[in-house]
């Protein structure tokens, strides 16, 4: 489990035969064989570490569902080690289970001085993106400021631009998306209820009363 607060960036050194080699741009203290590390928001298992590089095995599912198989060698990626018990949860709950890779529509500074990142959205995911809700983009915890049926937009603060690889993304670049896990479960429960596959007493009214909506 992760928080979406990126600890630093790394560079893709090599990708072949199911192996992904990343060279961190910061010191990774005492890396442990088998530990989970989010690479652009995708939870991967560390196979080895040495000479300042981290080596992961990447399944075809991971390469198919994420941008890890699309970004070129030398591209920058975001890195976050797994959350430890007692750590501050400063972002939101991120599982490292990327839902899809989507195309950046624009990444620019607006007339009001904010930096806007707009991303295309497949219609099947539109119900999982809500204004003021959380979303992980390349593993970065962000707040949605605009939600439509075919795109959404977030704003990037200077710290995010400086300390993550999102500043390297431009129109046409694929980014990894992980939608809020609470929203996914709520949507699934409502789908089952509407299809009469469950006798759950949960309704929109009970969710509202419980503070989920």
């Amino acid at each position: 489990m992760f928080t979406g607060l990126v600890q630093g960036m790394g560079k893709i050194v090599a990708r072949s035969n199911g192996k992904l080699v990343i060279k961190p741009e910061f010191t990774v203290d005492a890396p442990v064989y088998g530990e989970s590390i989010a690479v652009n928001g995708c939870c991967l298992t560390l196979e080895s570490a040495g000479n300042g590089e981290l080596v992961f095995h990447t399944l075809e599912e991971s390469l198919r569902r994420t941008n890890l198989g699309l970004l070129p060698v030398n591209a920058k990626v975001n890195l976050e080690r797994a959350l430890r018990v007692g750590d501050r949860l400063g972002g939101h709950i991120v599982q490292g289970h990327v839902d899809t890779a989507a195309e950046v529509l624009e990444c620019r500074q607006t007339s009001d001085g904010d930096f806007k990142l707009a991303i295309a959205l497949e219609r099947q995911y539109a119900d999982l993106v809500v204004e003021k809700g959380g979303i992980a983009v390349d593993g970065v915890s962000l707040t949605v400021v605009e939600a439509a049926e075919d795109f959404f937009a977030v704003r990037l603060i200077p710290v995010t631009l400086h300390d993550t690889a999102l500043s390297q993304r431009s129109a046409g670049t694929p980014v990894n998306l992980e939608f809020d896990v609470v929203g996914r479960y709520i949507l699934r429960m409502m789908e089952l209820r509407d299809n009469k596959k469950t006798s759950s007493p949960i309704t929109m009214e009970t969710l509202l009363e419980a503070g989920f909506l």
Side-chain angles (χ1 to χ4, degrees), residues 58-69:
T58 47
L59 298 171
E60 281 301 315
E61 167 74 1
S62 299
L63 297 177
R64 182 177 64 84
R65 294 288 288 267
T66 76
N67 63 6
L68 296 181

Side-chain angles (χ1 to χ4, degrees), residues 1-33:
M1 186 174 293
F2 307 90
T3 67
L5 299 185
V6 171
Q7 293 168 316
M9 288 181 280
K11 182 174 66 175
I12 297 177
V13 175
R15 180 181 51 229
S16 64
N17 299 319
K19 304 299 181 185
L20 178 67
V21 183
I22 303 293
K23 186 176 182 62
E25 295 182 350
F26 65 103
T27 300
V28 178
D29 294 322
V32 178
Y33 169 79

